[in-house]
């Protein structure tokens, strides 16, 4: 396997909330800010230009008060079914994230595919971070009565 090989993470999670509500939590900055940040950080600002070609920007603060900027570009958007976007931390190569939102009656299945993870030994970290992040989404949906 060459050093250039990239890796892909697949995750699926079912939320007890209707698809439009879950989709809003992925696309509305004031909602995104409540859950979609790396573990150990707090969102200071979230900007999303919700259109193909639109840019996304998260500015977060780490536990040691360091500033982290994460940017992306929306590559594909089918409301409320699918989002494909780049994801880039300052100073690192961009990855590609696909979110699919499957309607299951009053529930929504979210399929996450994170392409371009640079190394196999980083896969457990990405898995853990996404698991914790999606747990925060579940907590937000519950606390706001969306479920």
């Amino acid at each position: 396997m060459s050093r250039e090989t990239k890796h892909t993470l697949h995750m699926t999670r079912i939320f007890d909330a209707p698809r439009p509500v879950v989709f809003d939590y992925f696309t509305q900055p004031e909602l995104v800010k409540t859950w979609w940040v790396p573990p150990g950080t707090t969102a200071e600002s979230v900007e999303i230009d919700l259109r193909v070609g639109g840019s996304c920007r998260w500015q977060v603060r780490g536990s040691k008060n360091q500033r982290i900027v994460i940017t992306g570009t929306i590559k594909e958007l089918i409301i409320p079914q699918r989002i494909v976007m780049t994801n880039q931390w300052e100073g690192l190569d961009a990855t590609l994230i696909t979110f699919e939102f499957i309607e299951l009656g009053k529930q929504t299945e979210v399929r996450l595919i994170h392409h371009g993870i640079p190394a196999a030994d980083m896969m457990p970290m990405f898995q853990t971070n996404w698991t914790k992040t999606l747990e925060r989404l579940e907590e937000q949906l519950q606390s706001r009565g969306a479920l």
Side-chain angles (χ1 to χ4, degrees):
M1 185 177 294
S2 77
R3 287 186 359 202
E4 298 301 315
T5 300
K6 302 292 182 179
H7 302 274
T8 301
L9 174 67
H10 295 264
M11 294 184 73
T12 300
R13 184 154 183 147
I14 295 176
F15 295 96
D16 289 324
R19 181 167 69 175
V21 171
V22 175
F23 191 84
D24 283 351
Y25 271 83
F26 279 79
T27 59
Q28 303 301 315
E30 68 278 0
L31 297 175
V32 170
K33 190 176 177 181
T34 67
W35 70 275
W36 190 353
V37 293
T41 66
T42 303
E44 292 184 329
S45 66
V46 174
E47 300 166 15
I48 299 173
D49 181 3
L50 191 59
R51 63 181 175 84
V52 173
S55 63
C56 304
R57 183 177 189 277
W58 285 253
Q59 182 169 309
V60 300
R61 284 275 169 204
S63 59
K64 297 179 182 172
N65 205 32
Q66 73 274 30
R67 181 182 64 102
I68 303 164
V69 175
I70 305 161
T71 58
T73 302
I74 298 172
K75 300 295 187 182
E76 183 180 338
L77 178 65
I78 303 170
I79 298 171
Q81 300 169 3
R82 183 177 169 91
I83 304 168
V84 179
M85 64 182 290
T86 61
N87 183 266
Q88 184 170 19
W89 288 50
E90 274 181 321
L92 299 176
D93 290 340
T95 60
L96 187 70
I97 304 172
T98 299
F99 298 104
E100 294 179 342
F101 303 86
I102 312 302
E103 192 168 40
L104 303 172
K106 295 180 181 181
Q107 295 180 315
T108 304
E109 178 179 315
V110 175
R111 296 178 185 163
L112 178 153
I113 306 167
H114 197 148
H115 305 276
I117 297 169
D121 62 353
M122 296 178 79
M123 294 292 287
M125 178 193 69
F126 275 80
Q127 174 85 34
T128 298
N129 288 352
W130 273 117
T131 297
K132 289 179 180 179
T133 299
L134 294 174
E135 286 170 357
R136 281 196 304 276
L137 172 57
E138 180 85 36
E139 292 166 4
Q140 286 300 311
L141 288 166
Q142 289 175 352
S143 71
R144 295 178 187 251
L147 303 180

